[in-house]
Amino acid sequence: MTPALIKLQSIIQNSDNIVFFGGAGVSTESGIPDFRSADGLYSSKYKYSPETILSRSFFNKHTEEFYRFYREKMLYPGAKPNKAHLALSELEKQGKIKAVITQNVDGLHTFAGSKNVFELHGSALRNLCLDCGKVYDLDKILDSEGIPYCTCGGTIKPDVILYEEALDMNVMMTAVEAVYDADVLIVGGTSLNVYPAAGLIDRYRGDKLILINKSKTSYDKRANLIIRENIGETLGAVIGEL
Ligand code: ZN
């Protein structure tokens, strides 16, 4: 183990109040690409940018086109939790992790067994009828073509936060409280450029801010420990040694 990994392990061993905050990089190791990092890939197939397609006004106006992109680029029903998800779940069982906060909508933390998960951007596993509020699972989206409709005739929308939509304030406030009270804050797989990541980190008051990210982030100066490695390998290695 490298000196940085040994330090990370020691910090984890000595805390029972760790909060993990993760971004798209946590799921890329499960084969789910970050749609933001690959705009070029879509240009030939889609007339609009991913950010435009994944906006509420686009959903309202071009629902069928939204679903074409969404099914192809946002849903990965075969994806499995990777070492990062599994390590975080194990650390929660050991009483070390108090909360996992994620910007991902794939539900992989819950699949891995984590209980206290805050999904800031919602979940693709839940889908709601816009008229009657009936809840549908992911199969409803996967098994339908074009626009999925409720038995009442209403349009079904994934329970994910689209661009132009507000975050769920209850989820956000509880996440903010967890960060505020945390002894250790581990941030992984995010460049911290996506709202509301930065605002969340600003609430942390402790002196054990750990960044695990392959590239630089705007918070490197504030971090107490930076690990420029793959997040699954890093957390997997630490767990293996505990
Ligand atoms: Zn309905």
Side-chain angles (χ1 to χ4, degrees):
M1 294 230 288
T2 63
L5 272 183
I6 290 167
K7 189 170 176 198
L8 172 63
Q9 187 175 42
S10 161
I11 290 171
I12 290 174
Q13 267 168 347
N14 290 306
S15 178
D16 61 359
N17 186 8
I18 304 167
V19 167
F20 177 83
F21 175 62
V26 177
S27 287
T28 49
E29 290 169 34
S30 289
I32 301 176
D34 180 2
F35 69 88
R36 287 178 205 88
S37 65
D39 283 39
L41 287 178
Y42 310 122
S43 53
S44 57
K45 259 182 107 171
Y46 294 92
K47 276 190 291 180
Y48 307 91
S49 72
E51 285 82 0
T52 300
I53 297 174
L54 295 171
S55 70
R56 183 56 192 256
S57 53
F58 192 91
F59 176 89
N60 290 345
K61 265 183 275 174
H62 311 279
T63 315
E64 192 161 356
E65 180 72 353
F66 168 91
Y67 269 112
R68 188 162 80 92
F69 178 90
Y70 182 77
R71 284 194 185 92
E72 188 182 335
K73 299 295 178 191
M74 300 295 287
L75 298 182
Y76 295 85
K80 302 232 172 5
N82 61 53
K83 285 183 195 168
H85 300 104
L86 297 170
L88 291 164
S89 165
E90 177 59 29
L91 288 171
E92 185 186 58
K93 282 196 196 88
Q94 293 177 12
K96 296 192 165 298
I97 293 248
K98 282 282 182 288
V100 170
I101 304 166
T102 181
Q103 300 181 105
N104 302 332
V105 298
D106 50 47
L108 289 180
H109 286 295
T110 306
F111 279 143
S114 286
K115 303 279 184 248
N116 204 29
V117 181
F118 298 103
E119 296 170 312
L120 297 182
H121 294 167
S123 172
L125 307 187
R126 287 188 310 267
N127 302 277
L128 304 172
C129 170
L130 290 175
D131 286 352
C132 74
K134 187 173 174 185
V135 181
Y136 290 88
D137 62 14
L138 182 57
D139 285 344
K140 176 72 183 176
I141 308 299
L142 294 170
D143 295 344
S144 54
E145 281 179 35
I147 303 170
Y149 290 106
C150 178
T151 48
C152 82
T155 300
I156 295 171
K157 179 186 167 290
D159 193 17
V160 303
I161 310 285
L162 300 177
Y163 289 94
E164 301 163 3
E165 287 186 314
L167 298 178
D168 180 324
M169 282 323 281
N170 284 330
V171 174
M172 187 60 190
M173 289 315 292
T174 321
V176 163
E177 274 171 32
V179 168
Y180 188 75
D181 292 336
D183 169 31
V184 177
L185 179 61
I186 304 177
V187 179
T190 170
S191 56
L192 293 171
N193 293 326
V194 180
Y195 175 80
L200 203 56
I201 307 248
D202 286 339
R203 306 310 290 267
Y204 176 60
R205 299 174 297 166
D207 60 357
K208 298 182 194 77
L209 173 61
I210 301 160
L211 298 184
I212 307 171
N213 205 49
K214 279 186 183 165
S215 53
K216 285 188 177 173
T217 80
S218 46
Y219 274 72
D220 285 5
K221 269 190 195 155
R222 255 199 72 184
N224 304 98
L225 178 63
I226 297 173
I227 299 177
R228 293 242 183 276
E229 302 285 342
N230 175 303
I231 183 144
E233 296 295 322
T234 301
L235 293 179
V238 167
I239 276 285
E241 302 279 331
L242 280 175

